[in-house]
Amino acid sequence: IAADLLRASALNPFVAEPHVVRAQVLMQQEKWGEAADAAKSALRMFYVWATQWDNRMPFTAWVSWTRCILLQSSYKEWPNSHGGLESLGAVHPSQRFRVLNTDRNFGLKRKREEDEQK
């Protein structure tokens, strides 16, 4: 998939979104440096053009998601569950106030811990 997205980026040199999706795929593969490079490429294009090609999300959402990917690549961590994705949101280190939730059974784990304390 990442190779196809790299090819799409090469064929569409002024479109940032394939770089963003490639960065996300690389994050899932724990290829932190490559993901950061892809995210930086996307951000450069977003900032130069000041618009997005893919209108399924607004420009600010594309930029924020890409900045989130870039930040998480610096921490070398990426969630492996929907609960973990909900833990994302910081786009600057000063906004991070908790550790990323990467546990698939976060809710069940918390309930077990609460039951054990009773």
Side-chain angles (χ1 to χ4, degrees), residues 53-108:
W53 178 82
D54 184 335
N55 289 312
R56 290 177 289 172
M57 293 192 313
F59 173 73
T60 54
W62 278 109
V63 171
S64 294
W65 181 239
T66 308
R67 290 180 64 198
C68 180
I69 292 170
L70 182 59
L71 178 66
Q72 289 304 128
S73 72
S74 71
Y75 291 124
K76 294 182 171 54
E77 62 182 15
W78 190 251
N80 56 11
S81 70
H82 70 280
L85 283 175
E86 292 170 358
S87 298
L88 297 174
V91 295
H92 189 271
S94 66
Q95 295 174 318
R96 186 178 166 127
F97 63 93
R98 63 181 171 164
V99 191
L100 181 66
N101 170 20
T102 59
D103 189 358
R104 290 185 184 273
N105 299 312
F106 184 70
L108 294 175

Side-chain angles (χ1 to χ4, degrees), residues 26-43:
L26 291 166
M27 290 291 287
Q28 292 167 341
Q29 296 172 351
E30 298 183 356
K31 296 181 179 177
W32 314 117
E34 292 177 55
D37 292 342
K40 288 175 188 175
S41 294
L43 286 172

